[in-house]
Amino acid sequence: MSKTLIPSLKALQAFEQTANCGNILKAAENLNLTPSAVSHQISGLELYLNKKLFHRNGRGLSLTGAGQTYLAAIQGALHTINSATIDIIERQEREELNIHTSPTFGHLYLLPRIKKFQTQHPEFKINIQCSYEDAQFNLNQVDIDIRHGIFSWTNLNVIPIRNEFATVLAHPELIKETQVEKPTDLLKQSLILSQSTLIQWQQWFAYHNVELTRNLEFPFTFDRSYMSYETAKQGLGFILENSLLAEKYLSDKSLQPVFSSAFDIPITAHYIVYPYAHKKFTRVNIFTEWLLSELAQNSHYRNNR
């Protein structure tokens, strides 16, 4: 095996800078060294190579033939080392945060806020999966799951999301046009059915002591709540949906509550879920605390009734 011959990096830098600048004073300034230190490095390199690299004269320094050849050979390597060093210093290794969420919560609540989370925590690479099926933590490499449904999970850490209400919503113009004032007035209107909500129309009417004398008919039926919101936004009917997820529609006034908050039904439809073992993960704790903080600030609906 041949012996590896690599001069000191300081000597190579001194040689390159001096060759490029044409004098030791400028090279020393660029390297933040004294001229004598640069001169010493060059002398040591010449001794190591057993070659003169510079012609020394009263006008400064100029490369010898050996110096020109050596400079051409090492400049690319020095540039590569410099680039690699800058890259490794500036690059931040980002830890992956794997989130699974129900589609409507992800679409209407989480995604509008994800930029805020990323700005506060740029150290994370965020992966989001959406489906109504519960995440299989041991198979899907999921850190945290935001589930929709009725609580039925064991051996998992479960945090219920508060301040959710089943609320009747509609476009302001539709409310004005139909002059709906009480629950029975809705029986004459176009009701949109969202199959995924925990409280259905029949339950809402029963809760308010409205007896149904016939089966309800629905001009639109959806298996995703965000489709119900978007349809109601077009003035095509009344929806019974989650007030928490209606935030953007309430903010831009494309939807508004039909009745006062006395007609809302409190629900717990979403949960933050993860294995107890995930409590040790800083990323899980950071995301959970951030999400709960965001939820605690969700006062738009309550303050605009």
Side-chain angles (χ1 to χ4, degrees):
M1 181 176 177
S2 60
K3 184 179 179 181
T4 301
L5 298 175
I6 301 177
S8 77
L9 184 58
K10 288 183 178 180
L12 294 176
Q13 289 176 308
F15 166 65
E16 183 204 29
Q17 284 296 316
T18 302
N20 290 334
C21 296
N23 68 79
I24 287 178
L25 288 177
K26 183 62 177 176
E29 182 181 336
N30 290 346
L31 293 171
N32 197 28
L33 296 173
T34 63
S36 61
V38 173
S39 180
H40 178 75
Q41 291 291 344
I42 292 173
S43 296
L45 181 61
E46 289 179 323
L47 183 62
Y48 183 87
L49 298 174
N50 195 28
K51 294 287 190 303
K52 284 291 182 184
L53 299 174
F54 291 100
H55 295 296
R56 292 162 174 82
N57 53 57
R59 292 175 297 176
L61 301 176
S62 60
L63 288 169
T64 63
Q68 291 175 357
T69 300
Y70 195 53
L71 178 66
I74 68 166
Q75 267 190 320
L78 289 174
H79 176 73
T80 299
I81 293 171
N82 180 64
S83 297
T85 302
I86 292 173
D87 179 66
I88 201 68
I89 290 174
E90 294 184 348
R91 184 178 64 198
Q92 294 184 358
E93 293 292 343
R94 293 193 290 173
E95 183 179 5
E96 289 192 2
L97 172 63
N98 299 297
I99 304 165
H100 180 273
T101 177
S102 61
T104 299
F105 188 93
H107 182 70
L108 296 181
Y109 194 88
L110 184 57
L111 282 184
R113 292 167 171 79
I114 204 66
K115 181 178 180 181
K116 182 177 180 181
F117 178 77
Q118 187 187 48
T119 300
Q120 294 176 7
H121 298 283
E123 69 271 23
F124 295 125
K125 175 185 176 183
I126 304 165
N127 301 323
I128 299 178
Q129 305 171 35
C130 288
S131 74
Y132 277 116
E133 291 73 33
D134 295 341
Q136 301 298 313
F137 290 100
N138 58 332
L139 298 176
N140 303 136
Q141 295 184 327
V142 171
D143 293 317
I144 193 165
D145 191 11
I146 303 171
R147 295 183 177 180
H148 174 270
I150 299 171
F151 177 80
S152 61
W153 311 289
T154 58
N155 301 319
L156 292 170
N157 191 54
V158 179
I159 305 171
I161 290 177
R162 307 297 183 184
N163 298 324
E164 296 185 276
F165 298 89
T167 306
V168 180
L169 303 165
H171 191 281
E173 289 298 319
L174 182 61
I175 297 173
K176 182 179 178 180
E177 176 189 327
T178 56
Q179 298 185 339
V180 170
E181 296 179 352
K182 56 186 182 298
T184 52
D185 293 339
L186 286 174
L187 296 175
K188 304 173 185 177
Q189 306 303 324
S190 295
L191 304 180
I192 296 170
L193 177 63
S194 181
Q195 295 175 323
S196 63
T197 57
L198 298 188
I199 302 293
Q200 296 290 302
W201 279 110
Q202 291 87 343
Q203 294 166 289
W204 185 85
F205 281 117
Y207 187 86
H208 295 296
N209 300 312
V210 176
E211 185 178 351
L212 300 178
T213 58
R214 59 181 176 82
N215 292 331
L216 296 175
E217 295 184 2
F218 306 102
F220 296 97
T221 299
F222 301 106
D223 66 346
R224 297 288 188 272
S225 285
Y226 59 80
M227 300 173 73
S228 297
Y229 287 110
E230 287 296 316
T231 304
K233 177 182 176 180
Q234 299 176 59
L236 295 175
F238 295 78
I239 59 173
L240 179 61
E241 279 292 354
N242 190 321
S243 61
L244 178 68
L245 305 185
E247 185 181 51
K248 79 166 186 174
Y249 300 101
L250 295 170
S251 295
D252 65 20
K253 302 187 185 305
S254 58
L255 292 177
Q256 71 179 50
V258 177
F259 306 111
S260 71
S261 59
F263 289 87
D264 295 346
I265 300 178
I267 55 174
T268 303
H270 293 91
Y271 301 83
I272 302 169
V273 181
Y274 52 87
Y276 288 106
H278 287 195
K279 284 186 175 183
K280 67 184 178 184
F281 297 145
T282 301
R283 61 184 182 273
V284 170
N285 295 323
I286 287 175
F287 179 78
T288 300
E289 290 172 9
W290 172 83
L291 182 55
L292 291 175
S293 175
E294 288 295 307
L295 290 162
Q297 298 172 36
N298 188 71
S299 59
H300 177 92
Y301 175 78
R302 297 193 301 277
N303 293 342
N304 287 274
R305 298 306 300 271

